[in-house]
Amino acid sequence: MSADAPLWTPSRPRVEAARLSWFRGRVAARTGAELADSVALHRLSVERPDEFWGAVWDELGVIGERGDVAAAPGDGSLPGASWFPGARVNLAENLLRGADGRPGVRFAREDGVRRALTRAELAGEAAALAAALRAEGVGPGDRVAAWMPNTPETLVTMLAATSIGAVFSSTSPDFGTAGVLDRFGQIEPAVLVAADGYVYAGRRHDCLARLRDIAAGLPSARRVVVVGELDPAPTLQGVQGAVAWEAFVAPHRGARPRYERLPFDHPGFILYSSGTTGAPKCIVHRAAGLLVKHLTEHQLHCDIGPGDRAFYFTTCGWMMWNWLMSGLASEAELLLYDGSPFHPHPAILWDLADECDLTFFGTSAKFLDASRKAGVAPRESHRLASLRTIASTGSPLVPEGFAYVYDRVKADVHLASISGGTDLCGCFVAGDPTRPVFAGEIQGPGLGMAVDVWDVEGRPVTGTAGELVCTRPFPTTPLGFWGDDDGSRYRAAYFERFPGVWAHGDFASWTEHGGMVIHGRSDATLNAGGVRIGTAELYRAVESMDEVVEALAIGQPWDDDTRIVLFVVAAPGVELDDGLRERIRARIRDRCSPRHVPSRVVAVAELPRTRSGKLVELAVADVVAGRPVRNREALANPDALDAFRDVPELAT
């Protein structure tokens, strides 16, 4: 096969059956536009946003009062634009549509615990919890927070909160006390829902001691509702305002669902930046904005519809949790998994794909790379008969990861590499089930997203890397940051570099196929000898070597310039000796350029990551330079940073 040949091309019947093709036909009929393919549909979506987003509401079945105007873009700059200014809508009402006996959600825990709820049972549980929250005085605009594993109770809490117009926010139970208070302490929740513990990698982790401190640190919380994950009757002594989940909900079982329809701009969610450079930013999102954006991403980009079974490996502290939950609006059954993706064995998630007959399997690029290196070959050991789409995000998926999916997982599958962020709780660039997949490339921009690549002067570039920008408004532009009353922090985060344009902070380039490659975060871009290169390019070169598990690169100021330092985790039984160092340098010289050969290659046992699995190059650079790391609590493994302090090889 030619190096430039597609890894996968959808068959004509599959293209014709795709919901994207159906929607394209509906938009063509509504607008009179000639829409020969998805590229033409994307062009219309950014040039005629009122017609496009109006079609999304009507054709994808949003429940609510739409109003006459779908998009009033103003002067076209960001963050301006008004979305559905006359609308009244409720997210939970849309997610719980068709509350009948069809499967709603299935839960699997790594230790074998299994549960399932129909759509009707899910709606009933949400109605009961909503009634309990109302009885506590919770109303529109109040915050309901969840410090929870990925369980049905977390989903029910979100549905109950949004059904009454409260603002929902969650984080995962592996966060320590300071990390939870750094987040929830800013938003002052009226109610906190928390688990007594969780299971991970064969261990039971008790959370009650931390919960006592967290409850004491949240004086705004009138109630702390405790879910018994480890013990059906957890000890609540010492937890301020505590009540067991069942005791809180039981008096209200049988309550009828009530949905508060609110304006489109009503806040529904607060998500958090990683917090690795200071206190986390509390990003406030419209519930309705996420609804319409996720409908396009699920139904049109990922081809998810009624009867599908969708899964994404995520915790409640990552935006992909919110993204997956929205799948209920497309009437898919959701699989929630809680535990390690490699316990009790490396193929556990593929076991679940067969057990649940998944049609959509979402994961991280890191998971696929780790599976490849562990020799996991689901194509040889699993049926995966129903699986149509595999999605990957969290970090750039390198060409070897693409090849792994098609060679070792399933040959006839749509591999949708996607990229966006917590900042928009969605994608800038995404998959397309009607177009070919090429190694290392994201297929194209998301519908409604005017994505481009600019140089430092704000000029569009092709054939070279630059800043990923979005030049026109979109419905999941955040309402702002919590507590940022004058909007100054919000504007500084996205709009000051190129006024009126969203600068996302990714280093990217277009491909000749109209796709995109993400080269890493632009704030972590290396600048050696005046030439910029994304860290993802170095990682791709180095991590393709069998001797290397993973790598992290930083730029270290040295002799009035910047030298590249590469930290390497070697494979088990492999020593990073001078010979391996030279092979690493040769690989980088061959696959990147001579300018980007690292001056120092240093062995470490572990690389520090955020709790969503992303490498933290900036934190490592701070440690190497002797600067303090401002928020170690945001890291999943903060002690790993100690290995980067006072490294002898970096003193010369």
Side-chain angles (χ1 to χ4, degrees):
M1 178 181 290
S2 165
D4 194 47
L7 295 172
W8 176 81
T9 301
S11 66
R12 183 169 180 175
R14 182 154 180 180
V15 171
E16 292 173 348
R19 294 183 66 82
L20 178 57
S21 297
W22 164 81
F23 182 78
R24 176 167 53 84
R26 295 295 299 163
V27 174
R30 290 167 64 107
T31 63
E34 292 187 10
L35 302 176
D37 53 23
S38 59
V39 175
L41 176 62
H42 175 263
R43 187 180 307 115
L44 179 141
S45 75
V46 297
E47 293 176 353
R48 298 157 70 172
D50 184 61
E51 292 173 280
F52 173 76
W53 291 106
V56 168
W57 183 294
D58 296 340
E59 304 297 340
L60 303 189
V62 175
I63 299 170
E65 300 137 48
R66 176 187 184 280
D68 296 331
V69 176
D75 65 2
S77 66
L78 285 110
S82 176
W83 302 100
F84 296 97
R88 307 285 292 187
V89 63
N90 183 274
L91 176 69
E93 184 179 11
N94 279 270
L95 299 189
L96 292 169
R97 69 182 70 209
D100 52 25
R102 289 174 299 162
V105 63
R106 194 181 307 198
F107 172 65
R109 203 165 72 178
E110 72 167 39
D111 58 358
V113 170
R114 298 289 189 270
R115 284 190 284 154
L117 286 83
T118 66
R119 294 182 71 87
E121 289 168 336
L122 196 56
E125 287 294 297
L129 180 59
L133 293 173
R134 285 189 178 98
E136 288 291 330
V138 177
D142 288 333
R143 277 77 61 209
V144 174
W147 184 47
M148 286 286 292
N150 186 17
T151 69
E153 286 79 11
T154 316
L155 171 57
V156 167
T157 302
M158 182 272 284
L159 292 168
T162 55
S163 72
I164 62 180
V167 183
F168 177 79
S169 189
S170 63
T171 196
S172 53
D174 55 339
F175 273 89
T177 302
V180 176
L181 293 178
D182 280 350
R183 288 157 175 79
F184 294 163
Q186 294 186 65
I187 67 170
E188 300 179 314
V191 171
L192 172 67
V193 177
D196 65 337
Y198 63 100
V199 175
Y200 191 86
R203 293 180 54 203
R204 293 162 64 86
H205 300 261
D206 190 289
C207 291
L208 287 174
R210 280 179 289 156
L211 181 56
R212 286 190 283 272
D213 294 336
I214 289 166
L218 294 175
S220 63
R222 300 192 285 272
R223 280 290 185 184
V224 177
V225 183
V226 183
V227 179
E229 276 292 299
L230 302 184
D231 184 341
T235 301
L236 306 183
Q237 185 176 0
V239 181
Q240 183 175 300
V243 59
W245 172 276
E246 186 59 27
F248 189 64
V249 174
H252 303 279
R253 285 218 163 82
R256 293 178 60 83
R258 290 169 49 195
Y259 302 110
E260 299 289 339
R261 290 188 177 178
L262 296 156
F264 193 89
D265 279 354
H266 185 78
F269 294 97
I270 297 174
L271 281 71
Y272 303 94
S273 67
S274 61
T276 55
T277 58
K281 296 186 288 287
C282 306
I283 306 168
V284 185
H285 284 289
R286 308 165 176 85
L290 267 59
L291 172 65
V292 296
K293 182 78 165 77
H294 292 172
L295 282 171
T296 69
E297 294 180 357
H298 291 158
Q299 295 194 26
L300 307 182
H301 288 286
C302 295
D303 209 26
I304 295 172
D308 279 323
R309 295 163 298 281
F311 162 77
Y312 222 105
F313 179 72
T314 180
T315 72
C316 301
W318 189 23
M319 59 148 283
M320 295 311 299
W321 184 88
N322 304 75
W323 191 92
L324 177 62
M325 299 310 111
S326 294
L328 289 171
S330 295
E331 300 183 67
E333 179 187 9
L334 308 183
L335 169 62
L336 312 182
Y337 175 73
D338 195 61
S340 166
F342 294 108
H343 185 87
H345 59 82
I348 181 64
L349 296 188
W350 302 113
D351 290 352
L352 286 171
D354 271 352
E355 177 185 330
C356 301
D357 284 322
L358 293 179
T359 56
F360 176 90
F361 182 102
T363 186
S364 65
K366 185 62 188 172
F367 170 82
L368 293 174
D369 185 60
S371 297
R372 175 177 65 86
K373 292 195 170 185
V376 178
R379 188 174 178 178
E380 300 171 7
S381 54
H382 293 70
R383 294 180 297 107
L384 305 181
S386 303
L387 189 61
R388 296 196 314 269
T389 307
I390 295 175
S392 170
T393 193
S395 59
L397 183 63
V398 298
E400 292 81 3
F402 280 76
Y404 167 72
V405 168
Y406 287 106
D407 292 344
R408 309 301 299 277
V409 181
K410 189 173 184 179
D412 186 17
V413 70
H414 175 213
L415 176 55
S417 180
I418 62 179
S419 183
T422 299
D423 324 72
L424 68 154
C425 199
C427 301
F428 282 118
V429 284
D432 184 334
T434 68
R435 295 174 60 193
V437 172
F438 292 88
E441 299 183 19
I442 300 173
Q443 288 172 283
L447 290 166
M449 308 301 287
V451 176
D452 207 349
V453 177
W454 285 10
D455 66 15
V456 293
E457 302 298 326
R459 297 171 300 204
V461 294
T462 56
T464 188
E467 295 285 338
L468 175 64
V469 298
C470 191
T471 61
R472 301 187 187 185
F474 51 92
T476 53
T477 320
L479 291 166
F481 297 159
W482 190 268
D484 180 30
D485 295 336
D486 63 0
S488 58
R489 292 174 61 216
Y490 177 44
R491 290 191 298 273
Y494 309 112
F495 310 114
E496 284 189 352
R497 179 156 193 186
F498 306 116
V501 169
W502 180 293
H504 190 56
D506 276 348
F507 197 47
S509 60
W510 290 112
T511 75
E512 61 184 278
H513 308 113
M516 182 172 282
V517 175
I518 304 293
H519 302 280
R521 294 293 296 171
S522 58
D523 53 11
T525 296
L526 304 171
N527 192 343
V531 179
R532 301 176 80 203
I533 186 171
T535 53
E537 295 181 62
L538 280 177
Y539 303 156
R540 171 187 166 186
V542 176
E543 292 176 6
S544 64
M545 302 174 68
D546 292 338
E547 302 97 323
V548 175
V549 174
E550 57 183 357
L552 181 149
I554 65 166
Q556 182 190 20
W558 195 259
D559 284 344
D560 298 321
D561 197 355
T562 297
R563 69 178 183 182
I564 294 175
V565 176
L566 185 70
F567 297 98
V568 170
V569 177
V574 174
E575 179 186 355
L576 182 64
D577 56 18
D578 289 343
L580 179 54
R581 285 186 174 90
E582 286 310 307
R583 292 196 299 278
I584 289 171
R585 290 187 172 105
R587 179 68 62 98
I588 293 170
R589 184 180 295 107
D590 178 59
R591 297 199 177 188
C592 298
S593 82
R595 288 181 178 271
H596 301 103
V597 174
S599 298
R600 297 289 183 270
V601 181
V602 181
V604 291
E606 183 182 12
L607 299 179
R609 297 180 178 278
T610 67
R611 295 178 186 273
S612 60
K614 296 180 181 179
L615 294 174
V616 285
E617 291 102 334
L618 294 181
V620 171
D622 284 341
V623 171
V624 168
R627 298 186 294 265
V629 177
R630 282 178 279 178
N631 197 347
R632 291 170 61 98
E633 187 64 35
L635 302 181
N637 54 342
D639 291 344
L641 285 173
D642 296 339
F644 299 86
R645 198 179 313 278
D646 300 324
V647 177
E649 296 100 312
L650 303 187
T652 59

